[in-house]
Amino acid sequence: MDCIFCMIRDGKIPSNKVFENDYVLAFNDVNPQAPVHILVIPKIHVESCDKINAENADYVKEIFLAIPQIAAKAGLDKGYRVITNCGEHGCQSVKHLHFHIIGGTQLAEKMC
Ligand code: 5GP
Ligand code: ZN
């Protein structure tokens, strides 16, 4: 399968990893939109938020357990935003479920 994030998980594409366990991998976004811009992915291929189900929900749980640890390590003590883009209207460009952790500055109030 031609999935960039599966290739990052497998070490076929280099990344700056910031967190890893059996379920979750987090690395810096290659094109950061804020001083801190980290992507958190499940280690199995799930296409998007729309494909979350009872079988893969443990991975999603682990992602959300990891996020506070990743944020603390990144020094995001004043807060941050967690975003997942889903499908065409959501402007999802990489079709492997991922959550953006964005912070390190005051973010805009408007989300769209
Ligand atoms: P989306 O638009 O799907 O929500 O977000 C995809 C994100 O993946 C974008 O912010 C983009 O900069 C990032 N990205 C795309 N290719 C790579 C890559 O090869 N390495 C890293 N670290 N990030 C990538
Ligand atoms: Zn994938």
Side-chain angles (χ1 to χ4, degrees):
M1 201 192 325
D2 220 18
C3 171
I4 297 172
F5 288 173
C6 282
M7 288 194 253
I8 286 177
R9 174 201 61 201
D10 295 342
K12 291 175 183 157
I13 294 177
S15 68
N16 288 313
K17 286 181 197 175
V18 298
F19 180 93
E20 184 169 18
N21 66 20
D22 288 345
Y23 295 86
V24 175
L25 179 63
F27 49 89
N28 289 319
D29 196 294
V30 77
N31 183 24
Q33 295 188 31
V36 175
H37 188 167
I38 295 168
L39 300 173
V40 192
I41 69 165
K43 280 194 169 177
I44 54 164
H45 184 84
V46 176
E47 191 181 307
S48 75
C49 181
D50 200 47
K51 302 292 182 194
I52 294 171
N53 58 34
E55 265 177 45
N56 58 37
D58 273 353
Y59 284 83
V60 180
K61 181 184 87 176
E62 291 291 336
I63 285 171
F64 278 89
L65 288 171
I67 283 173
Q69 299 175 56
I70 296 165
K73 213 167 146 188
L76 299 176
D77 52 305
K78 287 191 168 175
Y80 51 94
R81 187 167 286 159
V82 178
I83 299 167
T84 189
N85 294 325
C86 180
E88 189 185 342
H89 278 191
C91 296
Q92 182 183 6
S93 62
V94 178
K95 304 292 188 283
H96 180 129
L97 176 65
H98 54 281
F99 294 85
H100 300 254
I101 300 176
I102 294 174
T105 189
Q106 179 62 57
L107 300 173
E109 212 171 313
K110 274 192 94 171
M111 281 193 287
C112 56

